[in-house]
């Protein structure tokens, strides 16, 4: 899943980015409010973490801008301003949760998982992603469907994990090539289509709910409805 962190303190950025990356999230960082606004309004993020005291545009104003553009994206405010008035102000400007500095990373992680469950329908808990009856253990890199283990190659697993972290989002072949194979795209290659078919044969077996769908002319999407 894709998270955006808008924070100008390098130490805080390092702690949060490293911790969330270790938990299997894709973390993008904006060092100020202006860059944060551009990234948040032109890219898809499943959750956004905002500091309040930001150069360019402060977090409260940025929160309002983001929510006006996308009312459903969950936002967590991070700040050293922990008075009741500041908490209420943050929530009134559209924030879904509020955490004061210094904070415990485990608490931040738990709040992120809670908001993702509430907004996206993807269950992220103890490094496990669940989509319908498909379960992906990010730590053990094991996959089950209806409690039956599925054996995947390393590439098949990376492809499935990337699609699951972006549930319900249409992923172009270029997106997949760049994130799963980590190579520059080549419009002439059909490697993505080949591996999606490999994955379908293992994940979407006859009689099971279809989870991997083709968006004609656009790419592929993993969804449970």
């Amino acid at each position: 899943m894709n998270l955006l962190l808008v924070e100008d303190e390098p130490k805080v950025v390092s702690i949060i980015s490293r911790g969330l990356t270790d938990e299997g999230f894709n973390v993008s960082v904006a060092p100020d409010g202006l860059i944060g606004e551009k990234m948040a309004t032109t890219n898809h993020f499943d959750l956004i973490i905002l500091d309040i005291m930001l150069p360019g545009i402060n977090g409260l104003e940025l929160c309002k801008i983001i929510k006006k553009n996308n009312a459903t994206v969950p936002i967590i405010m991070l700040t050293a301003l922990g008075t009741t008035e500041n908490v209420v102000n943050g929530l009134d400007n559209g924030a879904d949760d509020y955490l004061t500095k210094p904070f415990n990373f485990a608490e931040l992680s738990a709040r992120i998982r809670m908001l993702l469950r509430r907004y996206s329908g993807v269950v992220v808990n103890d490094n496990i992603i669940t989509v319908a009856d498909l379960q992906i253990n990010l730590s053990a890199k094991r996959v089950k469907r209806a409690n039956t283990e599925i054996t995947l190659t390393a590439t098949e697993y990376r492809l499935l994990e990337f699609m699951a972290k972006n549930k319900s989002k249409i992923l172009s072949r270029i997106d997949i090539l760049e994130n799963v194979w980590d190579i520059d795209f080549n419009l002439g290659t059909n490697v993505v289509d080949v591996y999606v078919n490999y994955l379908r044969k293992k994940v979407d077996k006859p009689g099971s709910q279809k989870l991997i769908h083709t968006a004609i002319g656009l790419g592929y999407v993993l969804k449970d409805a």
Side-chain angles (χ1 to χ4, degrees), residues 9 50 65 70 81 89 92 115 149 171 200 204 224:
E9 294 184 42
L50 292 180
I65 292 170
N70 181 359
L81 306 174
N89 199 15
D92 282 347
L115 286 174
E149 189 151 349
L171 302 170
R200 275 180 167 148
D204 285 345
D224 56 8

Side-chain angles (χ1 to χ4, degrees), residues 32-76:
D32 61 52
L34 291 172
I35 296 175
E37 178 188 8
K38 182 176 180 180
M39 292 177 68
T41 55
T42 59
N43 299 279
H44 168 81
F45 292 102
D46 298 286
L47 182 140
I48 297 174
I49 304 167
L50 292 180
D51 186 23
I52 283 187
M53 304 299 290
L54 290 169
I57 302 175
N58 70 57
L60 295 176
E61 288 300 315
L62 181 54
C63 184
K64 288 193 292 185
I65 292 170
I66 293 172
K67 283 293 188 176
K68 184 177 181 179
N69 183 70
N70 181 359
T72 63
V73 63
I75 294 177
I76 297 177

Side-chain angles (χ1 to χ4, degrees), residues 3-7 12-14 16-17 27-31 47-51 78:
L3 308 186
L4 173 63
L5 170 62
V6 188
E7 170 63 68
V12 177
V13 169
S14 177
I16 295 176
S17 297
V27 182
S28 299
V29 177
L47 182 140
I48 297 174
I49 304 167
L50 292 180
D51 186 23
L78 282 182

Side-chain angles (χ1 to χ4, degrees), residues 3-224:
L3 308 186
L4 173 63
L5 170 62
V6 188
E7 170 63 68
D8 64 328
E9 294 184 42
K11 289 183 179 179
V12 177
V13 169
S14 177
I15 292 170
I16 295 176
S17 297
R18 185 171 62 250
L20 293 178
T21 299
D22 288 345
E23 293 192 353
F25 294 103
N26 298 316
V27 182
S28 299
V29 177
D32 61 52
L34 291 172
I35 296 175
E37 178 188 8
K38 182 176 180 180
M39 292 177 68
T41 55
T42 59
N43 299 279
H44 168 81
F45 292 102
D46 298 286
L47 182 140
I48 297 174
I49 304 167
L50 292 180
D51 186 23
I52 283 187
M53 304 299 290
L54 290 169
I57 302 175
N58 70 57
L60 295 176
E61 288 300 315
L62 181 54
C63 184
K64 288 193 292 185
I65 292 170
I66 293 172
K67 283 293 188 176
K68 184 177 181 179
N69 183 70
N70 181 359
T72 63
V73 63
I75 294 177
I76 297 177
M77 303 295 292
L78 282 182
T79 183
L81 306 174
T83 67
T84 300
E85 181 181 355
N86 285 314
V87 172
V88 170
N89 199 15
L91 297 175
D92 282 347
N93 279 279
D96 298 276
D97 205 349
Y98 197 105
L99 198 58
T100 57
K101 300 175 182 178
F103 58 89
N104 184 294
F105 177 78
E107 182 179 359
L108 173 63
S109 177
R111 292 185 184 216
I112 288 172
R113 295 196 300 270
M114 179 272 293
L115 286 174
L116 290 174
R117 284 195 296 268
R118 181 193 301 172
Y119 276 84
S120 70
V122 177
V123 179
V124 182
N125 186 24
D126 297 328
N127 282 334
I128 293 175
I129 298 178
T130 301
V131 183
D133 59 351
L134 177 69
Q135 191 175 80
I136 304 169
N137 187 313
L138 302 176
S139 297
K141 299 190 182 303
R142 296 174 63 182
V143 178
K144 291 183 179 181
R145 179 112 199 238
N147 292 320
T148 299
E149 189 151 349
I150 299 173
T151 301
L152 301 176
T153 66
T155 303
E156 290 168 348
Y157 174 82
R158 289 198 304 271
L159 175 58
L160 181 63
E161 180 182 299
F162 178 61
M163 295 181 76
K165 286 178 178 178
N166 292 277
K167 178 200 170 189
S168 299
K169 178 184 177 183
I170 296 174
L171 302 170
S172 71
R173 290 168 178 81
I174 295 172
D175 291 332
I176 294 171
L177 279 172
E178 292 180 344
N179 286 276
V180 176
W181 276 267
D182 193 26
I183 59 175
D184 292 334
F185 66 88
N186 179 348
L187 294 179
T189 185
N190 68 340
V191 66
V192 172
D193 307 288
V194 170
Y195 270 88
V196 167
N197 285 331
Y198 288 161
L199 206 54
R200 275 180 167 148
K201 290 176 181 178
K202 295 183 177 182
V203 173
D204 285 345
K205 292 183 177 180
S208 63
Q209 178 187 357
K210 184 178 179 181
L211 298 179
I212 302 173
H213 302 263
T214 300
I216 298 175
L218 298 174
Y220 297 100
V221 57
L222 180 74
K223 59 182 181 178
D224 56 8

